[in-house]
Amino acid sequence: MKLFSFVIFSTLFLKQGRLVIGDVGTAASYGPPYIPTACGGNRAGQFPPGNLFVAVNEGLWDNGAACGRRYRIRCVSGNNRPCKGGSIDVKVVDACPGSPCPNSLLMSNDAFAAISRFPHAKINIEYTQI
């Protein structure tokens, strides 16, 4: 009987539960002009293909050590179910322009549109440095 209960519990947990591997935070979009940035100044070549890039808050900025870091981001929730599903890989190109930053990450319009159905939403995210 104990084995049967364990199997049922495990099956339900695996179907319902999600393992969070990274950190959790919030994200919003920000629009152009994107340059100059704190990482690459006015260089147009600093942006990755598809314009999938972010500006990070003070904690992630790490006195500029964040420049060039890559993160895998997944939308997990928000008002009116904004998440598209899936994840994207982004590159850090800037520090959040406001202090304190209202979010963990400010995502380029293209990056944000890849994971959220609503361009002006504030979403909850899971992110992992890759």
Side-chain angles (χ1 to χ4, degrees):
M1 186 64 181
K2 287 183 182 182
L3 178 61
F4 178 74
S5 296
F6 175 75
V7 170
I8 296 297
F9 174 76
S10 298
T11 303
L12 289 173
F13 178 76
L14 291 174
K15 284 186 178 183
Q16 299 298 320
R18 287 192 173 205
L19 179 63
V20 175
I21 298 172
D23 292 311
V24 292
T26 60
S29 66
Y30 79 111
Y34 295 120
I35 53 176
T37 68
C39 295
N42 288 309
R43 288 184 318 104
Q46 68 183 303
F47 301 109
N51 285 326
L52 301 180
F53 59 88
V54 296
V56 297
N57 69 9
E58 299 85 0
L60 293 172
W61 180 241
D62 194 18
N63 292 320
C67 287
R69 284 185 187 154
R70 300 182 90 57
Y71 287 95
R72 180 158 293 139
I73 302 172
R74 181 174 69 90
C75 178
V76 293
S77 67
N79 290 337
N80 300 316
R81 302 174 55 152
C83 302
K84 288 184 174 180
S87 62
I88 60 168
D89 296 345
V90 297
K91 178 182 175 184
V92 175
V93 299
D94 210 349
C96 182
S99 185
C101 187
N103 298 287
S104 306
L105 303 172
L106 290 179
M107 304 175 70
S108 68
N109 286 338
D110 291 333
F112 197 78
I115 62 172
S116 175
R117 296 183 301 129
F118 308 121
H120 303 292
K122 181 174 181 176
I123 60 173
N124 298 308
I125 57 168
E126 175 187 287
Y127 61 97
T128 306
Q129 186 175 342
I130 53 175

